[in-house]
Each structure stands twice: as C-alpha cells, then as structure tokens.
Amino acid sequence: MSHAVIFGGTGLIGRAAARRLLAIGWEVTTVGRERSRMPEDVAAAGGRFVAADRADPDRLAAALGAGADLVVDCLCFTAVHARDLLPLLGDVGSTVMISSKAVYVDGAGNHVNSAVAPDFGGPVRESQPTMAPREDIDYRTRDGYGANKVAAERVLLDSGHPVTVLRPSKVHGDGAAKPCEWVFVKRVLDRREVVFLSRGGSGVDHPSAAANVAALIETAANNPGRRVLNSADPDAPGALEISRIVAGHLGHRWEEVLLDDRAPAGLGLHPWDRLPGIRLDMTAAGRLGYRPAGDYLGTVTAELDWLVSADQPSEFDHDYFAPMLNYAVEDEYLAAG
C-alpha cells in the first residue's frame, strides 16, 4: 500500500489531499500541532494523526519514520523550512511543496501583494518571472511572503530530489482559516437585501479548490519529477458570478448594486476585486495527466455548507473581512438615494 505523509495535514489543502489519497487506497499520515483539528471523516477513513510542529526537524523525522512514497508539505514558507526538509527526502518517492501564485511578478515587478496591482497581460504560465528570493525579510509581510516562497522553491528544486512545486491561487474549501466566500455567506446569514460590488463585479482572482489541488497532488505523486505547476480551477468566475453562486446555493435573493468609479471609497469591497484580473494557465498540469475534481460551482458548495453549519461562524469576523462587511456605509448610501 502506498504511504503519504502530509505536513500541515489538518489544514485546508492537507485535509483535501488526505481525503483524496485515502479514497484511492493510500495509507495517510497527517502531521499537525492539534489533534482536535483532525477532520472526523479523515480519521474514520483510516487517516493517522501525528503531533508535530513544522519548525521541529526532529519531530518531522519521527513522523516520517522509515520513509514514504509521497510527502506533501503545506507549511514550507521559507528556505529554512525547505532545508529542514531535505535530510528527510532520501527515502521519499515524490515530494509536493505547496507554494503560491504570490511569487509571480509582471513586467514592472508588481506582484499580488504590491501597492500597485500586477498586469500579467493574460493567463499566467509557470515561465512567468518571479520575485527575487529573499531570506532576510519576514515571510508574514506583504513583500516577504512571495520572496520567501521563491527561496524555498529553489532550495527544493535544486536539491536533485523529485519535487513538484504547486502554485495555487485563491484556495477555497472546508476548513479554510480565511474563507473568502464568507463575505457573501455572512450577508445571507444576516438576510441582507442588497449586495454591493465594486467595479461592477468584474474583478477576477482565479479560485483554486482544495479538492483540485488534491487532484494535482495525486497526479504529481504518480509522476515523480522536478517541476513547477500552477494549480487553479478549470474556470475563473468573476465576483458577480461568485456572489450569485453563493446566494443561489443558499436560497437567498438580493438586489445587486454594481458600482462604478464614482462610488464612495470603501463601498463594495470583496476578495476578488482584481483588475486586471488574474488567471493561471493550467496547460502544463493537463499535459501531465491532471484532471480537475470539478469547476468552481461544483467544488465550492462543500465550503458553503460548512460555513453555514459552523458552530461559531463569528470566528470569521476578523479584521480582514471587516471593511467588506461595513453595513453602516451601505445603509447610508442607500438612504442618500
């Protein structure tokens, strides 16, 4: 029986990968800090949990044991993380590192976390230039995240081991720590009768279902090698379409207010407010034999059902979403006529 070890196995991508591999008969070890985050269905399907901190190389080695056919690292953010992983890969058949589209830069050097929005001029291929690798800046900062990811990628790709680097976009699925769809789900739960969308809802930021990332992980496991692959859904719906998908699935109707540049600042904000839009080219993954688990509509419903059934949905009401859920500003705009 093939064996996979998933670092960060209780997180968004890790749990999706565990489900996918368990369903096709793999033995799966999920590694995380808190057993309480282990999904019940993963445990019921035979998933094994090992407690370990990603920053502790000795615990990672103990979790890996005698080796594995596949290692999936969902928590490799820096070159240090990558170097800690290298001594473990001698007894691993294939390794998948989860990176990010945040590594890409346009012709002017802008990236997704820049003050100026990047313009890639079309779907982004894996050959698109990336940020320069950095190890001297905190990966938790806007300029440090992508640069540290590039540094980690290079350590692993230059190691000689069969490592596949996946670069997903806006990941969605149950278990998300910051589920973008919450912006619209929260409105449904609050029975809001109007949804405001900046720039007419035309913004696009390519979604990546965790289930589709998991499908590509399986493809990479079956085809060991050194490569970089984009990982995104087969479609890239705009914000207006996403708002309609969420409302429709949850049986809610609202009036759509499609704002233009004359709208007050801060009105109609949402996570897909990207112009020029960002789309990832999936040709390379397709050539490897990858087939997606589904399109956005077919894969996002699991997250939506999870969000409305959450015991404490208020846990998502943090600072990231607050400007996008400013009902007072919306009500004032409506009252002004």
Side-chain angles (χ1 to χ4, degrees), residues 35-126:
R35 182 178 294 273
S36 62
R37 286 183 53 81
M38 177 77 160
E40 292 181 3
D41 64 315
V42 172
R48 172 173 171 258
F49 177 81
V50 173
D53 192 307
R54 178 61 181 77
D56 186 342
D58 292 336
R59 289 296 301 154
L60 296 186
L64 185 61
D69 299 284
L70 170 68
V71 163
V72 181
D73 195 343
C74 303
L75 299 175
C76 188
F77 296 103
T78 69
V80 171
H81 291 154
R83 293 190 190 102
D84 286 344
L85 189 63
L86 289 184
L88 309 180
L89 300 187
D91 296 319
V92 173
S94 180
T95 299
V96 174
M97 174 216 169
I98 304 300
S99 186
S100 170
K101 77 159 186 292
V103 303
Y104 292 122
V105 294
D106 66 7
N110 297 313
H111 51 87
V112 296
N113 292 319
S114 296
V116 176
D119 184 354
F120 296 111
V124 181
R125 297 182 179 180
E126 292 85 351

Side-chain angles (χ1 to χ4, degrees), residues 101 106-108 110-124 169-170 199 201-206 236-239 261 270-280:
K101 77 159 186 292
D106 66 7
N110 297 313
H111 51 87
V112 296
N113 292 319
S114 296
V116 176
D119 184 354
F120 296 111
V124 181
S169 183
K170 221 168 195 63
R199 295 189 264 199
S202 59
V204 173
D205 197 350
H206 207 155
D261 293 339
H270 55 80
W272 300 271
D273 194 12
R274 289 274 182 189
L275 285 179
I278 298 178
R279 297 172 175 83
L280 298 186

Side-chain angles (χ1 to χ4, degrees), residues 156-305:
L156 293 174
L157 292 170
D158 291 345
S159 69
H161 294 291
V163 175
T164 297
V165 171
L166 300 188
R167 293 173 177 166
S169 183
K170 221 168 195 63
V171 184
H172 60 93
D174 68 281
K178 190 171 67 177
C180 293
E181 286 75 13
W182 179 244
V183 166
F184 298 134
V185 172
K186 172 67 171 170
R187 291 177 178 279
V188 171
L189 295 177
D190 291 339
R191 312 311 295 175
R192 296 293 290 179
E193 297 179 352
V194 177
V195 63
F196 293 81
L197 295 170
S198 64
R199 295 189 264 199
S202 59
V204 173
D205 197 350
H206 207 155
S208 299
N212 284 331
V213 180
L216 189 49
I217 288 171
E218 179 191 346
T219 302
N222 293 331
N223 298 274
R226 278 183 289 165
R227 61 177 75 91
V228 176
L229 296 173
N230 287 332
S231 183
D233 293 351
D235 55 336
L240 176 58
E241 184 177 354
I242 289 173
S243 71
R244 290 173 175 175
I245 287 172
V246 174
H249 180 70
L250 299 180
H252 185 71
R253 297 186 66 180
W254 48 34
E255 178 187 352
E256 297 167 349
V257 178
L258 306 182
L259 303 166
D260 57 26
D261 293 339
R262 296 169 295 179
L267 189 63
L269 300 179
H270 55 80
W272 300 271
D273 194 12
R274 289 274 182 189
L275 285 179
I278 298 178
R279 297 172 175 83
L280 298 186
D281 187 294
M282 289 296 294
T283 303
R287 285 199 297 262
L288 196 64
Y290 162 73
R291 296 294 179 269
D295 60 10
Y296 179 80
L297 174 61
T299 56
V300 77
T301 53
E303 181 194 69
L304 301 182
D305 292 340

